């Protein structure tokens, strides 16, 4: 009890998610205010705005779920698992043309089911991309399996909290990335469409957070953040500031490249390498963070994911 009074508690996943949503909301409001002041721009509520807000709410759910994974595993184990959104996206890439073919064979048009600009793919998948799925899957799961690929075939492996949270969270991230690509790719003014998506999605993110705080019991203890150590709150705040900058920058990639699965894999691969280097350096020079274990397994994991990324880029 004494330690709690001193403010030594760490943030819970739910508290961290609220910090994230608060930073995202502040960034969205700041950008919107800047647009109004400098250009007199307005955020009209149309289909893309509604989709962006829904995507933002999905993004909050994904982040809140994945934060729970860090309770039982280190970032160097979790980050490779975050490649799974690329696998989900590639599966969508395979399924969508097949669905279009089935719909057209039934005498209907795919446009009657889904607007053309919401297509993730318009052609059959390249065989190399199927190989990329396999490499990214194995590479992503390898650190969580501690290098033993036989664990992939056991139910107990997928029942681990870290693995289960990442599988669900990355499925939601796949939905978010698909909606982001749909709302920004091949638009007349890509920069403007990206900025509009950022503002609307951060608003949706904040609304998703508000719903969670009001309706989900595990978010009820958010006020206990006052008992958390100031350094933990500061680290969380700084981390979320960097995160929201990354979210904004990567939107430009999804808006400018035709294949979101490739962007997704590239984003994850670079993130994994930088995370591993940062974790090792932080522990070695500052004595902060968890010790990095199974380094060779994680390097093999990165090599597999990098190979999958290279295959994903084949057109």
């Amino acid at each position: 009890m004494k330690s709690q009074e001193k403010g030594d508690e760490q943030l819970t996943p739910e508290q961290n998610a609220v910090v994230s949503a608060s930073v995202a909301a502040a960034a969205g409001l700041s950008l919107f205010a800047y647009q109004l002041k400098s250009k007199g721009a307005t955020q009209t509520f149309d289909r893309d705005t509604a989709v962006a807000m829904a995507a933002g709410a999905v993004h909050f759910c994904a982040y809140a779920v994945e934060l729970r994974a860090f309770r039982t595993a280190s970032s160097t184990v979790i980050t490779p698992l975050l490649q799974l959104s690329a696998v989900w996206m590639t599966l969508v890439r395979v399924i969508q043309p097949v669905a279009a073919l089935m719909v057209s064979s039934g005498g209907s048009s795919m446009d009657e089911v889904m607007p053309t600009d919401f297509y993730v793919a318009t052609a059959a998948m390249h065989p190399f991309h199927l190989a990329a799925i396999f490499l990214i899957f194995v590479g992503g799961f390898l650190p969580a399996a501690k290098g033993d690929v036989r664990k992939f075939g056991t139910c107990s492996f997928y029942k681990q909290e870290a693995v289960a949270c990442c599988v669900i969270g990355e499925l939601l991230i796949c939905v978010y990335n698909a909606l982001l690509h749909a709302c920004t790719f091949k638009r007349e003014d890509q920069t403007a469409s990206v900025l509009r998506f950022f503002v609307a999605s951060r608003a949706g993110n904040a609304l998703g957070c508000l719903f969670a705080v009001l309706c989900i019991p595990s978010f009820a203890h958010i006020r206990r953040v006052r008992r958390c150590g100031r350094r933990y709150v500061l680290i969380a705040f700084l981390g979320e500031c960097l995160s929201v900058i990354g979210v904004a920058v990567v939107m430009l990639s999804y808006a400018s490249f035709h294949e979101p699965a490739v962007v997704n894999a590239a984003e994850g691969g670079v993130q994994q390498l930088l995370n591993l280097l940062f974790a090792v350096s932080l522990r070695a020079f500052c004595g902060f963070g968890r010790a990095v274990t199974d380094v060779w397994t994680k390097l093999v994991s990165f090599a597999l994911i990098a190979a999958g990324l290279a295959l994903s880029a084949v057109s």
Side-chain angles (χ1 to χ4, degrees):
M1 189 71 176
K2 188 177 290 186
S3 63
Q4 292 180 351
E5 292 176 356
K6 291 180 180 179
D8 289 337
E9 288 186 13
Q10 295 186 10
L11 275 72
T12 65
E14 292 81 7
Q15 289 169 339
N16 209 327
V18 172
V19 172
S20 173
S22 300
V23 171
L29 282 173
S30 299
L31 179 58
F32 184 55
Y34 173 78
Q35 288 179 308
L36 288 177
K37 183 177 180 181
S38 62
K39 301 178 182 179
T42 57
Q43 186 82 11
T44 57
F45 192 86
D46 53 13
R47 185 198 65 176
D48 283 357
T49 302
V51 171
M53 291 185 69
V58 170
H59 192 259
F60 172 79
C61 293
Y63 195 61
V65 169
E66 289 182 345
L67 281 171
R68 298 179 66 88
F70 286 91
R71 299 190 302 182
T72 57
S74 67
S75 64
T76 52
V77 172
I78 300 299
T79 305
L81 289 172
L82 303 186
Q83 317 301 324
L84 287 173
S85 57
V87 176
W88 290 122
M89 184 70 77
T90 312
L91 291 175
V92 173
R93 174 79 169 75
V94 174
I95 293 171
Q96 195 174 65
V98 175
L101 182 62
M102 293 176 63
V103 169
S104 61
S105 65
S108 301
S109 171
M110 191 64 176
D111 293 339
E112 298 175 8
V113 181
M114 179 185 297
T116 304
D117 55 353
F118 269 58
Y119 286 179
V120 173
T122 55
M125 190 176 195
H126 196 289
F128 282 173
H129 292 167
L130 293 176
I133 292 178
F134 175 77
L135 291 174
I136 293 173
F137 174 83
V138 174
F141 276 80
L142 202 60
K146 301 187 186 307
D148 186 0
V149 295
R150 293 174 298 181
K151 291 183 179 180
F152 294 168
T154 63
C155 293
S156 59
F157 174 76
Y158 298 97
K159 289 181 180 178
Q160 296 179 77
E161 183 177 25
V163 176
C165 287
C166 286
V167 169
I168 296 171
E170 287 306 293
L171 177 59
L172 294 174
I173 288 293
C174 170
V175 174
Y176 168 79
N177 287 338
L179 295 176
L180 162 61
H181 179 74
C183 288
T184 57
F185 183 61
K186 283 187 176 179
R187 298 306 165 98
E188 292 182 3
D189 188 342
Q190 286 188 340
T191 301
S193 66
V194 167
L195 292 177
R196 290 182 66 241
F197 186 91
F198 180 82
V199 171
S201 63
R202 295 316 93 189
N205 192 290
L207 290 175
C209 175
L210 180 61
F211 176 84
V213 170
L214 294 176
C215 302
I216 301 178
S218 62
F219 279 83
H221 63 280
I222 185 62
R223 294 181 181 178
R224 287 171 58 94
V225 72
R226 292 175 294 181
R227 298 185 180 182
C228 296
R230 290 183 179 178
R231 65 168 182 162
Y232 295 124
V233 176
L234 179 60
I235 290 171
F237 174 75
L238 293 177
E240 297 306 333
C241 288
L242 293 174
S243 178
V244 78
I245 293 172
V247 167
V249 171
V250 81
M251 286 182 180
L252 295 171
S253 298
Y254 283 97
S256 59
F257 194 68
H258 70 281
E259 181 56 84
V262 174
V263 177
N264 207 157
E267 177 190 359
V270 173
Q271 182 184 19
Q272 180 184 350
L273 175 61
L274 294 179
N275 176 263
L276 183 59
L277 292 175
F278 183 73
V280 171
S281 302
L282 199 62
R283 182 69 179 182
F285 298 109
C286 303
F288 187 78
R290 297 179 181 178
V292 179
T293 58
D294 295 328
V295 175
W296 284 108
T297 299
K298 289 163 185 174
L299 288 175
V300 171
S301 167
F302 174 76
L304 289 172
I305 291 173
L309 170 59
L311 290 176
S312 296
V314 175
S315 58

